[in-house]
Every structure is written in C-alpha cells, then in structure tokens.
C-alpha cells in the first residue's frame, strides 16, 4: 500500500473509492466488535479466576526481559500526555539501550465506533493512537520512534486529522513508511489499539497521563503532577530506571551518576 492509498483512505477520494471505503468500514466495525468481544471474555475469565486487576497484580504480569519496562498510559491528543512525553525526551536519549517503552491508550471499547473504541478527543485521537502504535511497532529502534512522536506532538492540533502529517513524520524520522502505512490501515493497527486499550483497562488506569515503571505506578500528570513520590523531572525518572535495571547489558554511563542505594 502506497502513500496515495493512505491519503485516500483517510481523506475520502472519489465516489467509487468512498463506496469501497464504506464497505471496508462495515467489515472493520464487525471485526472490531469481534476482537473487543474476545478481549472482554478474556478479562472476565481473569476476574472469575481471581485476577482483580490491581496495580500489584498488574506488576506480576509486566513483561520481563533485559530492559526496564516503562508504560505510558496516554491519549495522543492529550496535553498532559504530550507534557510527559516531552519530559521523557532526555530519558529516551540517555537510556534507550535498557529501556522498553509501551504505549497504552485510554479509550472506551465500542464495537460500533469507527475504530472499535471511543476516544475522549474524538475519532481523530483514535486515528492518532493507531498511528503512534504502528510507528512504535515498526520504528526499528526507540530513538527513531521518539523522533516520530516529537514530530507529531509539535503539531498536536493536527494529530489524527491530517494524514499527511503522520506520513511526513514517519519519513523524516527514518521509519519504514511502507510498513507503517500497511499497519496503520489494516488489521494490525486496530489490533495494536485494541490490545493497548485492554492493557489500560486491566491495569485500572483511566487518567492520561500515567507512568508505570516495571509494572508499578510511578507518576501521574493530570493538570498538574501528583502521586510522584520520587519526583517528576527527567533526572528523577532516569535515576529510578537505572536503579530498576537488572539486565546483562552494560549500564548507560549516566547511571554512574545515580549509584545503587545500599
């Protein structure tokens, strides 16, 4: 799928293309309904088996590996989310070799919605959420994705509403634009979105922006910082991520400025 098809799918195009798009949309709605129904059943089974969805239990389910997992519970058009992502610019720059960032988008599942969920800032935000997830999935490495994200955030009012913006940001960041487009317009993008919404629900998070480190609540920005006992500056997050790192890779040099607490 090329650039023109991406723009056509997001802007409308000719009458014939619109007919095809409407038919495709009906199938996407049905598919989204099925996907969210399966996700709902999965969540119900976990609850029946005694999984409460508490932050402590969610921590047990956090991905383990050779990196520190940082989860950002956000909305693509949310000013608080953009504020947190801006703080993380230097965190990513300094720690990306030991950092695994996951985006979990806050939305309300709805199989009748265009993208299978209702986003607080409209369908444009849902579209922006999908674009960000596809860029993360096909970014190659974290700094490339973060370049894409900064590009979008610098035009926050156009996120999800200007398809050319996402393409320009993907290209300028050095992403594989073909893989990005295919993900954004096909099943993969919607599945990534469904999973991210499910993650946010299972973690019990409904505030953008919320930061988890290694499966534990670390900080919330919601018109002001709160629940941030370790501080909310970039250096505070760097300190805590360095302390949480237990992998086999060499620690980034900046971690030497934050020796482990005895």
């Amino acid at each position: 799928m090329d650039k023109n098809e991406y723009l056509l799918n997001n802007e409308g195009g000719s009458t014939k293309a619109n007919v095809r798009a409407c038919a495709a949309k009906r199938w996407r709605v049905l598919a989204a309904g099925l996907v969210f129904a399966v996700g709902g059943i999965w969540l119900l089974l976990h609850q029946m088996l005694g999984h409460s969805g508490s932050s402590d239990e969610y921590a047990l389910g956090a991905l383990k590996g050779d990196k520190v997992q940082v989860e950002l519970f956000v909305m693509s058009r949310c000013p608080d989310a953009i504020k947190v992502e801006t703080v993380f610019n230097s965190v990513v720059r300094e720690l990306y070799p030991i950092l695994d960032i996951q985006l979990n988008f806050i939305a309300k599942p709805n199989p009748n919605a265009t993208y299978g969920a209702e986003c607080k800032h409209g369908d444009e935000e849902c579209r922006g959420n999908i674009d960000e997830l596809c860029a993360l999935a096909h970014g190659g490495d974290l700094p490339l994705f973060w370049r894409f994200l900064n590009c979008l955030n610098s035009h926050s009012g156009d996120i999800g509403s200007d398809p050319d913006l996402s393409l320009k940001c993907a290209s300028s960041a050095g992403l594989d634009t073909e893989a990005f487009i295919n993900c954004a317009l096909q099943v993969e993008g919607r599945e990534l979105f469904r999973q991210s919404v499910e993650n946010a629900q299972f973690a019990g998070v409904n505030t953008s922006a919320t930061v988890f480190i290694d499966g534990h609540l670390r900080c919330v920005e919601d018109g002001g910082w709160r629940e941030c006992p370790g501080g909310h500056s970039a250096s505070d997050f760097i300190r805590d991520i360095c302390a949480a790192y237990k992998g086999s890779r060499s620690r980034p040099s900046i971690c030497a400025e934050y020796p482990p607490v005895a």
Side-chain angles (χ1 to χ4, degrees):
M1 188 172 293
D2 60 20
K3 174 180 177 180
N4 290 332
E5 289 178 280
Y6 178 82
L7 297 175
L8 181 63
N9 271 271
N10 282 279
E11 291 180 334
S14 67
T15 301
K16 185 176 180 180
N18 281 334
V19 171
R20 291 198 301 269
C22 288
K25 180 179 177 180
R26 286 195 294 270
W27 280 107
R28 289 198 300 269
V29 169
L30 290 173
L34 178 60
V35 166
F36 274 106
V38 171
I41 293 172
W42 182 84
L43 286 173
L44 179 60
L45 287 174
H46 271 259
Q47 292 169 352
M48 292 174 64
L49 291 171
H51 292 269
S52 65
S54 66
S55 60
D56 286 343
E57 190 154 344
Y58 184 72
L60 297 176
L63 296 175
K64 301 299 180 183
D66 206 31
K67 296 185 177 183
V68 178
Q69 186 183 48
V70 173
E71 295 169 275
L72 303 180
F73 296 83
V74 291
M75 305 172 185
S76 61
R77 292 174 65 97
C78 173
D80 293 315
I82 294 172
K83 182 177 180 179
V84 169
E85 289 160 357
T86 300
V87 170
F88 265 81
N89 283 340
S90 57
V91 179
V92 171
R93 183 175 64 251
E94 298 289 353
L95 299 182
Y96 74 87
I98 64 168
L99 195 57
D100 174 26
I101 288 187
Q102 178 176 315
L103 299 180
N104 294 323
F105 286 105
I106 298 169
K108 180 181 178 181
N110 179 355
N112 296 316
T114 303
Y115 297 103
E118 298 174 15
C119 295
K120 181 177 181 179
H121 302 96
D123 281 350
E124 293 86 358
E125 181 165 77
C126 290
R127 175 73 265 168
N129 295 349
I130 291 172
D131 286 352
E132 290 185 10
L133 288 166
C134 286
L136 181 59
H138 296 281
D141 62 27
L142 188 55
L144 287 183
F145 164 72
W146 216 255
R147 198 175 303 155
F148 167 88
L149 185 62
N150 279 328
C151 177
L152 280 191
N153 287 347
S154 66
H155 302 86
S156 58
D158 295 324
I159 292 175
S161 62
D162 179 4
D164 198 44
L165 172 63
S166 291
L167 282 172
K168 287 179 180 177
C169 289
S171 178
S172 65
L175 304 187
D176 181 338
T177 55
E178 182 177 358
F180 167 74
I181 290 171
N182 286 336
C183 172
L185 292 182
Q186 298 184 26
V187 175
E188 181 186 3
R190 284 153 179 76
E191 171 60 18
L192 289 171
F193 182 40
R194 180 200 66 78
Q195 184 63 60
S196 78
V197 172
E198 184 178 286
N199 289 343
Q201 289 190 314
F202 186 62
V205 176
N206 54 25
T207 300
S208 173
T210 299
V211 180
F212 274 42
I213 295 179
D214 266 3
H216 297 281
L217 175 63
R218 173 59 181 77
C219 200
V220 177
E221 161 58 39
D222 184 23
W225 297 98
R226 58 182 173 84
E227 299 181 64
C228 307
H232 52 76
S233 69
S235 61
D236 293 325
F237 291 122
I238 289 173
R239 179 198 63 232
D240 288 358
I241 292 168
C242 286
Y245 180 62
K246 309 299 181 185
S248 59
R249 298 169 181 258
S250 297
R251 290 159 57 89
S253 59
I254 196 172
C255 289
E257 300 176 22
Y258 304 97
V261 178

